[in-house]
Amino acid sequence: MHNSSLINPQCPIARSLERVGEWWSMLILREAFLGASRFDQFQKNLGIAPNMLTRRLQTLVADGLLEKRPYSTRPLRHEYVLTAAGQDFRPVLWTIMAWGNQHFAPEGPAIQLVDSATGAPAEPMLVDRHTGRPLTYPAFRVVAGPAADARTKSRYPTWPATTPTPNPTESADAPTGAAA
Amino acid sequence: MHNSSLINPQCPIARSLERVGEWWSMLILREAFLGASRFDQFQKNLGIAPNMLTRRLQTLVADGLLEKRPYSTRPLRHEYVLTAAGQDFRPVLWTIMAWGNQHFAPEGPAIQLVDSATGAPAEPMLVDRHTGRPLTYPAFRVVAGPAADARTKSRYPTWPATTPTPNPTESADAPTGAAA
DNA sequence: CAGTATCCTGTCCGATACTG
DNA sequence: CAGTATCGGACAGGATACTG
Protein backbone atom coordinates (compact mmCIF):
# COMPACT_ATOMS: atom_id res chain seq x y z
CA MET A 1 0.00 0.00 0.00
CA HIS A 2 1.14 3.52 -0.66
CA ASN A 3 -0.80 5.70 1.67
CA SER A 4 -1.27 3.12 4.36
CA SER A 5 -2.34 4.26 7.76
CA LEU A 6 -5.05 6.53 6.51
CA ILE A 7 -7.37 5.90 9.37
CA ASN A 8 -5.09 4.69 12.14
CA PRO A 9 -1.84 6.57 11.72
CA GLN A 10 -0.97 5.79 15.30
CA CYS A 11 -1.31 2.05 15.21
CA PRO A 12 2.08 0.42 15.82
CA ILE A 13 1.05 -2.49 13.63
CA ALA A 14 0.31 -0.16 10.74
CA ARG A 15 3.57 1.65 11.36
CA SER A 16 5.50 -1.58 11.30
CA LEU A 17 3.75 -2.61 8.13
CA GLU A 18 4.83 0.64 6.53
CA ARG A 19 8.43 -0.49 7.02
CA VAL A 20 8.27 -4.18 6.34
CA GLY A 21 4.84 -4.62 4.78
CA GLU A 22 6.14 -5.04 1.26
CA TRP A 23 6.49 -8.64 0.36
CA TRP A 24 10.19 -8.65 -0.26
CA SER A 25 11.14 -6.62 2.76
CA MET A 26 10.59 -9.39 5.27
CA LEU A 27 12.28 -11.92 3.06
CA ILE A 28 15.28 -9.65 2.69
CA LEU A 29 15.43 -9.38 6.45
CA ARG A 30 15.15 -13.13 6.68
CA GLU A 31 18.20 -13.40 4.45
CA ALA A 32 20.03 -10.83 6.51
CA PHE A 33 19.43 -12.92 9.62
CA LEU A 34 20.66 -15.90 7.69
CA GLY A 35 23.91 -14.12 7.16
CA ALA A 36 23.52 -12.43 3.80
CA SER A 37 24.92 -8.94 3.55
CA ARG A 38 25.96 -8.42 -0.06
CA PHE A 39 23.80 -7.45 -2.99
CA ASP A 40 24.66 -10.60 -4.79
CA GLN A 41 23.78 -12.87 -1.91
CA PHE A 42 20.35 -11.36 -1.51
CA GLN A 43 19.74 -11.60 -5.20
CA LYS A 44 20.74 -15.21 -5.59
CA ASN A 45 19.09 -16.46 -2.45
CA LEU A 46 15.82 -14.70 -3.11
CA GLY A 47 15.62 -14.76 -6.87
CA ILE A 48 14.63 -11.12 -6.81
CA ALA A 49 15.07 -8.78 -9.75
CA PRO A 50 18.03 -6.45 -9.21
CA ASN A 51 16.04 -3.27 -9.56
CA MET A 52 13.56 -4.42 -6.97
CA LEU A 53 16.36 -5.42 -4.67
CA THR A 54 17.85 -1.97 -5.00
CA ARG A 55 14.53 -0.36 -4.16
CA ARG A 56 13.81 -2.53 -1.17
CA LEU A 57 17.33 -2.21 0.13
CA GLN A 58 17.07 1.55 -0.12
CA THR A 59 13.84 1.73 1.81
CA LEU A 60 15.12 -0.64 4.46
CA VAL A 61 18.18 1.55 4.86
CA ALA A 62 16.06 4.70 4.89
CA ASP A 63 13.86 3.17 7.57
CA GLY A 64 16.85 2.36 9.72
CA LEU A 65 16.58 -1.41 9.59
CA LEU A 66 19.67 -1.98 7.51
CA GLU A 67 22.88 -0.03 7.47
CA LYS A 68 24.82 0.42 4.26
CA ARG A 69 28.51 0.47 4.83
CA PRO A 70 31.56 0.14 2.65
CA TYR A 71 33.59 -3.02 2.87
CA SER A 72 35.88 -2.09 -0.01
CA THR A 73 37.07 1.25 -1.25
CA ARG A 74 38.58 0.48 -4.65
CA PRO A 75 36.20 -0.25 -6.12
CA LEU A 76 33.67 1.14 -3.68
CA ARG A 77 31.46 -1.69 -2.46
CA HIS A 78 28.81 -1.77 0.21
CA GLU A 79 27.33 -4.37 2.43
CA TYR A 80 23.99 -4.20 4.16
CA VAL A 81 23.98 -5.09 7.82
CA LEU A 82 21.21 -5.17 10.33
CA THR A 83 20.91 -2.22 12.66
CA ALA A 84 19.71 -2.60 16.23
CA ALA A 85 16.15 -1.98 15.08
CA GLY A 86 16.64 -4.58 12.39
CA GLN A 87 17.98 -7.08 14.89
CA ASP A 88 14.94 -6.50 17.02
CA PHE A 89 12.82 -7.76 14.19
CA ARG A 90 14.07 -11.28 14.77
CA PRO A 91 11.34 -12.22 17.27
CA VAL A 92 8.74 -11.16 14.74
CA LEU A 93 10.24 -13.40 12.10
CA TRP A 94 10.49 -16.27 14.55
CA THR A 95 6.88 -15.85 15.57
CA ILE A 96 5.75 -15.82 11.97
CA MET A 97 7.87 -18.86 11.29
CA ALA A 98 6.26 -20.72 14.17
CA TRP A 99 2.80 -19.78 12.96
CA GLY A 100 3.61 -20.93 9.45
CA ASN A 101 4.97 -24.22 10.72
CA GLN A 102 1.90 -24.68 12.85
CA HIS A 103 -0.63 -24.25 10.10
CA PHE A 104 0.94 -24.38 6.68
CA ALA A 105 3.50 -27.15 6.92
CA PRO A 106 1.54 -30.42 6.87
CA GLU A 107 4.69 -32.31 5.89
CA GLY A 108 6.46 -31.02 8.98
CA PRO A 109 8.75 -28.05 9.45
CA ALA A 110 11.31 -27.31 6.75
CA ILE A 111 13.11 -25.02 9.14
CA GLN A 112 12.75 -24.73 12.87
CA LEU A 113 14.18 -23.13 15.95
CA VAL A 114 16.57 -25.23 18.00
CA ASP A 115 18.80 -24.86 21.00
CA SER A 116 22.20 -24.13 19.50
CA ALA A 117 23.94 -26.24 22.12
CA THR A 118 21.74 -29.31 22.28
CA GLY A 119 19.80 -29.16 19.03
CA ALA A 120 16.56 -29.57 20.92
CA PRO A 121 13.67 -28.02 19.01
CA ALA A 122 12.22 -24.95 20.64
CA GLU A 123 8.67 -23.73 20.37
CA PRO A 124 8.18 -19.99 20.67
CA MET A 125 5.72 -18.70 23.21
CA LEU A 126 5.06 -15.15 24.31
CA VAL A 127 5.47 -14.20 27.96
CA ASP A 128 5.60 -10.96 29.84
CA ARG A 129 9.21 -9.92 30.20
CA HIS A 130 8.66 -8.67 33.72
CA THR A 131 6.54 -11.36 35.30
CA GLY A 132 7.23 -14.28 33.01
CA ARG A 133 3.54 -14.97 32.72
CA PRO A 134 2.31 -16.41 29.42
CA LEU A 135 0.70 -13.74 27.29
CA THR A 136 -2.64 -15.34 26.63
CA TYR A 137 -5.96 -13.87 25.73
CA PRO A 138 -8.10 -12.73 27.47
CA ALA A 139 -5.79 -12.63 30.48
CA PHE A 140 -3.92 -9.96 28.58
CA ARG A 141 -5.38 -7.54 26.14
CA VAL A 142 -4.61 -4.54 24.03
CA VAL A 143 -5.73 -1.19 25.34
CA ALA A 144 -5.09 2.43 24.52
CA GLY A 145 -1.70 3.60 25.68
CA PRO A 146 -0.51 6.91 27.11
CA ALA A 147 0.05 8.44 23.67
CA ALA A 148 -3.33 7.46 22.30
CA ASP A 149 -5.23 10.14 20.42
CA ALA A 150 -8.97 10.57 20.59
CA ARG A 151 -9.72 8.19 17.81
CA THR A 152 -7.53 5.46 19.22
CA LYS A 153 -9.10 5.91 22.63
CA SER A 154 -12.54 5.57 21.17
CA ARG A 155 -11.60 2.29 19.52
CA TYR A 156 -9.62 0.65 22.25
CA PRO A 157 -10.64 0.25 25.84
CA THR A 158 -8.63 2.19 28.37
CA TRP A 159 -7.52 0.86 31.66
CA PRO A 160 -8.71 0.79 34.36
CA ALA A 161 -11.93 -0.46 32.85
CA THR A 162 -14.07 2.55 33.58
CA THR A 163 -16.53 1.42 30.94
CA PRO A 164 -14.70 3.19 28.17
CA THR A 165 -16.80 5.09 25.70
CA PRO A 166 -17.83 2.12 23.66
CA ASN A 167 -17.69 2.10 19.91
CA PRO A 168 -21.38 1.82 19.05
CA THR A 169 -20.76 -0.58 16.21
CA GLU A 170 -18.66 -2.86 18.33
CA SER A 171 -19.91 -2.77 21.85
CA ALA A 172 -22.58 -5.31 21.10
CA ASP A 173 -20.38 -8.14 19.94
CA ALA A 174 -17.33 -7.88 22.11
CA PRO A 175 -18.59 -9.54 25.26
CA THR A 176 -15.44 -10.26 27.22
CA GLY A 177 -13.54 -7.39 25.76
CA ALA A 178 -11.69 -6.94 22.54
CA ALA A 179 -8.02 -7.13 21.87
CA ALA A 180 -5.26 -6.40 19.40
CA MET B 1 3.25 -10.50 -4.52
CA HIS B 2 1.48 -12.89 -6.80
CA ASN B 3 3.86 -15.74 -7.39
CA SER B 4 5.66 -15.39 -4.09
CA SER B 5 7.76 -18.26 -2.90
CA LEU B 6 9.51 -18.79 -6.18
CA ILE B 7 12.77 -19.85 -4.69
CA ASN B 8 11.87 -21.04 -1.22
CA PRO B 9 8.47 -22.66 -1.52
CA GLN B 10 9.11 -24.47 1.73
CA CYS B 11 9.90 -21.50 3.92
CA PRO B 12 7.23 -21.11 6.59
CA ILE B 13 7.79 -17.37 6.56
CA ALA B 14 7.09 -17.21 2.84
CA ARG B 15 4.06 -19.43 3.31
CA SER B 16 2.72 -17.19 6.02
CA LEU B 17 3.30 -14.16 3.88
CA GLU B 18 1.28 -15.76 1.13
CA ARG B 19 -1.69 -15.70 3.47
CA VAL B 20 -1.28 -12.45 5.30
CA GLY B 21 1.34 -10.63 3.26
CA GLU B 22 -1.10 -8.28 1.58
CA TRP B 23 -1.27 -5.02 3.34
CA TRP B 24 -4.92 -5.14 4.30
CA SER B 25 -4.91 -8.73 5.45
CA MET B 26 -3.13 -8.12 8.72
CA LEU B 27 -5.15 -5.03 9.43
CA ILE B 28 -8.35 -6.94 8.84
CA LEU B 29 -7.14 -9.56 11.29
CA ARG B 30 -6.29 -6.80 13.72
CA GLU B 31 -9.87 -5.60 13.48
CA ALA B 32 -11.15 -9.12 13.92
CA PHE B 33 -9.17 -9.40 17.15
CA LEU B 34 -10.60 -6.09 18.19
CA GLY B 35 -14.05 -7.56 17.89
CA ALA B 36 -15.13 -6.69 14.39
CA SER B 37 -17.00 -9.37 12.53
CA ARG B 38 -19.33 -7.64 10.11
CA PHE B 39 -18.57 -6.21 6.72
CA ASP B 40 -19.60 -2.80 7.80
CA GLN B 41 -17.42 -2.79 10.88
CA PHE B 42 -14.33 -3.69 8.92
CA GLN B 43 -15.11 -1.09 6.32
CA LYS B 44 -15.67 1.75 8.72
CA ASN B 45 -12.80 0.96 11.04
CA LEU B 46 -10.31 0.49 8.26
CA GLY B 47 -11.49 2.95 5.68
CA ILE B 48 -11.08 0.29 3.04
CA ALA B 49 -12.90 0.30 -0.28
CA PRO B 50 -15.75 -2.22 -0.28
CA ASN B 51 -14.49 -4.17 -3.25
CA MET B 52 -11.08 -4.56 -1.68
CA LEU B 53 -12.66 -5.65 1.56
CA THR B 54 -14.63 -8.29 -0.30
CA ARG B 55 -11.49 -9.56 -2.00
CA ARG B 56 -9.40 -9.72 1.15
CA LEU B 57 -12.20 -11.28 3.16
CA GLN B 58 -12.57 -13.94 0.49
CA THR B 59 -8.90 -14.86 0.50
CA LEU B 60 -8.78 -14.91 4.28
CA VAL B 61 -11.75 -17.26 4.28
CA ALA B 62 -10.21 -19.38 1.55
CA ASP B 63 -7.00 -19.60 3.52
CA GLY B 64 -8.85 -20.75 6.60
CA LEU B 65 -8.12 -17.76 8.78
CA LEU B 66 -11.66 -16.45 8.87
CA GLU B 67 -14.90 -18.34 8.78
CA LYS B 68 -17.93 -16.94 7.02
CA ARG B 69 -21.13 -17.85 8.72
CA PRO B 70 -24.68 -16.64 8.58
CA TYR B 71 -26.02 -14.67 11.48
CA SER B 72 -29.32 -13.86 9.82
CA THR B 73 -31.34 -15.77 7.29
CA ARG B 74 -33.86 -13.23 6.04
CA PRO B 75 -32.12 -11.41 4.63
CA LEU B 76 -29.10 -13.67 4.45
CA ARG B 77 -26.22 -12.00 6.26
CA HIS B 78 -22.80 -13.27 7.14
CA GLU B 79 -20.26 -12.51 9.75
CA TYR B 80 -16.57 -13.25 9.59
CA VAL B 81 -15.09 -14.88 12.64
CA LEU B 82 -11.59 -16.02 13.38
CA THR B 83 -10.88 -19.70 12.98
CA ALA B 84 -8.43 -21.49 15.23
CA ALA B 85 -5.66 -20.75 12.75
CA GLY B 86 -6.73 -17.14 12.74
CA GLN B 87 -6.71 -16.99 16.52
CA ASP B 88 -3.20 -18.37 16.50
CA PHE B 89 -2.13 -15.32 14.58
CA ARG B 90 -2.58 -13.17 17.66
CA PRO B 91 0.98 -13.67 18.97
CA VAL B 92 2.29 -12.52 15.62
CA LEU B 93 0.26 -9.36 15.79
CA TRP B 94 1.31 -8.74 19.37
CA THR B 95 4.95 -9.21 18.48
CA ILE B 96 4.68 -6.81 15.58
CA MET B 97 2.88 -4.35 17.82
CA ALA B 98 5.68 -4.53 20.38
CA TRP B 99 8.30 -4.01 17.69
CA GLY B 100 6.43 -1.03 16.31
CA ASN B 101 6.09 0.48 19.77
CA GLN B 102 9.77 -0.07 20.40
CA HIS B 103 11.04 1.69 17.32
CA PHE B 104 8.35 3.72 15.65
CA ALA B 105 6.46 5.33 18.50
CA PRO B 106 8.69 8.13 19.81
CA GLU B 107 5.69 9.74 21.49
CA GLY B 108 5.03 6.56 23.44
CA PRO B 109 2.67 3.70 22.70
CA ALA B 110 -0.77 4.49 21.32
CA ILE B 111 -1.86 0.98 22.18
CA GLN B 112 -0.22 -1.55 24.41
CA LEU B 113 -0.63 -4.92 26.01
CA VAL B 114 -1.80 -4.95 29.61
CA ASP B 115 -2.81 -7.45 32.23
CA SER B 116 -6.59 -7.50 31.99
CA ALA B 117 -6.95 -7.81 35.75
CA THR B 118 -4.46 -5.26 37.01
CA GLY B 119 -3.87 -3.07 33.98
CA ALA B 120 -0.12 -3.48 34.35
CA PRO B 121 1.63 -3.05 31.01
CA ALA B 122 3.14 -6.22 29.65
CA GLU B 123 6.14 -6.48 27.41
CA PRO B 124 6.20 -9.45 25.07
CA MET B 125 9.22 -11.71 25.08
CA LEU B 126 9.74 -15.03 23.34
CA VAL B 127 10.56 -18.11 25.39
CA ASP B 128 10.68 -21.79 24.65
CA ARG B 129 7.36 -23.31 25.57
CA HIS B 130 8.98 -26.41 26.97
CA THR B 131 11.87 -25.07 28.98
CA GLY B 132 10.80 -21.48 29.50
CA ARG B 133 14.20 -20.26 28.40
CA PRO B 134 14.31 -16.92 26.61
CA LEU B 135 14.65 -17.39 22.88
CA THR B 136 17.69 -15.29 22.23
CA TYR B 137 20.24 -15.40 19.47
CA PRO B 138 22.67 -17.08 19.15
CA ALA B 139 21.63 -19.40 22.00
CA PHE B 140 18.85 -20.47 19.69
CA ARG B 141 18.96 -20.55 15.96
CA VAL B 142 17.06 -21.61 12.90
CA VAL B 143 18.12 -24.85 11.27
CA ALA B 144 16.74 -27.18 8.65
CA GLY B 145 13.88 -29.28 9.96
CA PRO B 146 12.84 -32.87 9.27
CA ALA B 147 10.87 -31.94 6.16
CA ALA B 148 13.62 -29.84 4.61
CA ASP B 149 14.30 -30.44 0.95
CA ALA B 150 17.75 -30.38 -0.59
CA ARG B 151 17.75 -26.69 -1.25
CA THR B 152 16.63 -25.80 2.24
CA LYS B 153 19.25 -28.09 3.72
CA SER B 154 21.94 -26.43 1.67
CA ARG B 155 20.92 -23.02 2.94
CA TYR B 156 20.32 -23.77 6.58
CA PRO B 157 22.64 -25.59 8.92
CA THR B 158 21.43 -28.93 10.14
CA TRP B 159 21.80 -30.14 13.65
CA PRO B 160 23.86 -31.68 15.11
CA ALA B 161 26.44 -29.35 13.66
CA THR B 162 28.25 -31.81 11.46
CA THR B 163 29.68 -28.93 9.50
CA PRO B 164 26.71 -28.73 7.19
CA THR B 165 27.47 -28.38 3.50
CA PRO B 166 28.14 -24.69 3.57
CA ASN B 167 26.55 -22.34 1.13
CA PRO B 168 29.61 -21.04 -0.72
CA THR B 169 28.31 -17.53 -0.90
CA GLU B 170 27.56 -17.39 2.77
CA SER B 171 30.04 -19.47 4.64
CA ALA B 172 32.54 -16.66 4.66
CA ASP B 173 30.54 -14.07 6.48
CA ALA B 174 28.55 -16.06 8.98
CA PRO B 175 31.08 -16.57 11.75
CA THR B 176 29.00 -17.75 14.67
CA GLY B 177 26.29 -19.24 12.57
CA ALA B 178 23.32 -17.77 10.85
CA ALA B 179 19.73 -17.78 11.85
CA ALA B 180 16.20 -17.22 10.66
C1' DC C 1 -27.01 -3.03 5.87
C1' DA C 2 -24.13 -6.17 3.09
C1' DG C 3 -22.24 -6.48 -0.33
C1' DT C 4 -21.39 -6.72 -6.13
C1' DA C 5 -19.91 -4.56 -10.47
C1' DT C 6 -17.17 -1.44 -13.16
C1' DC C 7 -13.51 1.63 -14.18
C1' DC C 8 -9.25 3.64 -13.28
C1' DT C 9 -4.64 4.59 -11.36
C1' DG C 10 -0.41 3.56 -9.02
C1' DT C 11 3.21 0.62 -8.28
C1' DC C 12 5.10 -3.68 -7.24
C1' DC C 13 7.62 -6.64 -9.64
C1' DG C 14 9.99 -9.31 -13.42
C1' DA C 15 12.92 -9.25 -17.59
C1' DT C 16 16.48 -7.43 -19.84
C1' DA C 17 20.21 -4.56 -21.07
C1' DC C 18 23.88 -1.86 -19.64
C1' DT C 19 28.10 0.03 -16.75
C1' DG C 20 32.55 0.57 -13.89
C1' DC D 1 30.72 -7.95 -8.68
C1' DA D 2 27.39 -4.37 -7.59
C1' DG D 3 24.51 -2.20 -9.07
C1' DT D 4 21.47 1.46 -12.58
C1' DA D 5 18.12 2.23 -16.45
C1' DT D 6 14.19 1.13 -19.05
C1' DC D 7 10.18 -1.40 -20.43
C1' DG D 8 5.89 -3.78 -19.76
C1' DG D 9 2.49 -6.66 -17.24
C1' DA D 10 -0.26 -7.94 -13.40
C1' DC D 11 -2.77 -6.62 -9.65
C1' DA D 12 -3.55 -4.13 -5.34
C1' DG D 13 -6.18 -0.61 -4.22
C1' DG D 14 -9.47 3.66 -4.64
C1' DA D 15 -13.81 5.76 -6.26
C1' DT D 16 -18.18 5.25 -7.53
C1' DA D 17 -22.55 3.34 -8.74
C1' DC D 18 -25.79 -0.12 -8.05
C1' DT D 19 -28.84 -3.92 -5.63
C1' DG D 20 -31.94 -6.61 -2.30
Side-chain angles (χ1 to χ4, degrees):
Chain A
M1 175 179 304
H2 32 89
N3 178 0
S4 82
S5 39
L6 340 78
I7 292 234
N8 284 313
Q10 279 209 321
C11 177
I13 297 171
R15 287 190 183 177
S16 297
L17 255 21
E18 281 169 26
R19 274 80 178 188
V20 298
E22 305 299 335
W23 227 92
W24 282 121
S25 302
M26 280 202 211
L27 296 181
I28 288 172
L29 291 177
R30 182 196 72 188
E31 287 306 310
F33 285 119
L34 226 193
S37 65
R38 314 250 272 247
F39 194 90
D40 200 44
Q41 298 173 334
F42 289 111
Q43 200 188 340
K44 267 210 290 286
N45 296 340
L46 291 170
I48 182 178
N51 55 347
M52 282 313 305
L53 180 55
T54 297
R55 296 229 290 251
R56 291 282 81 92
L57 246 20
Q58 278 171 356
T59 69
L60 287 171
V61 167
D63 287 335
L65 303 184
L66 291 180
E67 190 193 350
K68 181 179 184 174
R69 68 174 177 217
Y71 69 90
S72 153
T73 46
R74 192 174 293 102
L76 184 55
R77 293 281 180 266
H78 299 95
E79 60 180 350
Y80 302 86
V81 300
L82 290 160
T83 63
Q87 290 279 354
D88 287 343
F89 191 69
R90 197 189 317 255
V92 177
L93 232 31
W94 282 3
T95 309
I96 292 176
M97 181 186 72
W99 184 67
N101 275 338
Q102 234 179 85
H103 294 286
F104 312 121
E107 354 74 65
I111 59 174
Q112 61 184 355
L113 259 181
V114 301
D115 183 322
S116 299
T118 69
E123 221 186 309
M125 179 180 70
L126 279 185
V127 301
D128 177 17
R129 182 183 308 280
H130 305 110
T131 65
R133 287 175 54 208
L135 289 183
T136 59
Y137 177 82
F140 290 84
R141 71 177 60 176
V142 177
V143 302
D149 61 17
R151 175 177 178 90
T152 301
K153 274 183 198 150
S154 78
R155 286 172 35 72
Y156 290 87
T158 46
W159 208 96
T162 51
T163 320
T165 57
N167 187 327
T169 64
E170 289 185 16
S171 52
D173 50 356
T176 57
Chain B
M1 171 177 312
H2 31 90
N3 178 0
S4 83
S5 43
L6 339 78
I7 292 237
N8 286 313
Q10 280 209 321
C11 177
I13 297 171
R15 287 190 185 176
S16 297
L17 254 22
E18 281 169 27
R19 273 82 177 187
V20 297
E22 305 299 336
W23 226 95
W24 282 123
S25 303
M26 281 202 210
L27 297 180
I28 287 173
L29 291 177
R30 182 196 72 188
E31 287 305 311
F33 284 119
L34 226 193
S37 66
R38 315 249 272 243
F39 194 92
D40 199 45
Q41 298 172 333
F42 289 111
Q43 201 188 341
K44 269 209 290 284
N45 296 341
L46 291 170
I48 183 178
N51 54 348
M52 283 312 305
L53 180 55
T54 298
R55 297 224 295 247
R56 292 280 81 91
L57 245 21
Q58 278 171 356
T59 69
L60 287 171
V61 168
D63 286 335
L65 303 183
L66 292 180
E67 191 193 350
K68 181 180 184 174
R69 69 174 175 216
Y71 69 89
S72 152
T73 47
R74 192 172 298 100
L76 184 55
R77 293 281 180 266
H78 300 94
E79 60 180 350
Y80 301 87
V81 300
L82 291 158
T83 63
Q87 291 279 354
D88 287 344
F89 191 69
R90 197 189 317 254
V92 177
L93 233 30
W94 282 3
T95 308
I96 292 176
M97 181 186 74
W99 184 66
N101 275 338
Q102 234 179 84
H103 294 285
F104 312 120
E107 353 74 67
I111 59 174
Q112 61 185 354
L113 260 179
V114 300
D115 182 323
S116 299
T118 69
E123 218 186 310
M125 178 179 70
L126 280 185
V127 301
D128 177 16
R129 181 183 309 280
H130 305 108
T131 65
R133 287 175 54 208
L135 289 182
T136 58
Y137 178 83
F140 289 85
R141 72 176 60 177
V142 176
V143 302
D149 61 17
R151 174 176 179 90
T152 300
K153 275 184 198 150
S154 77
R155 287 172 35 70
Y156 289 88
T158 46
W159 208 99
T162 51
T163 318
T165 57
N167 187 325
T169 64
E170 289 187 18
S171 53
D173 50 356
T176 55

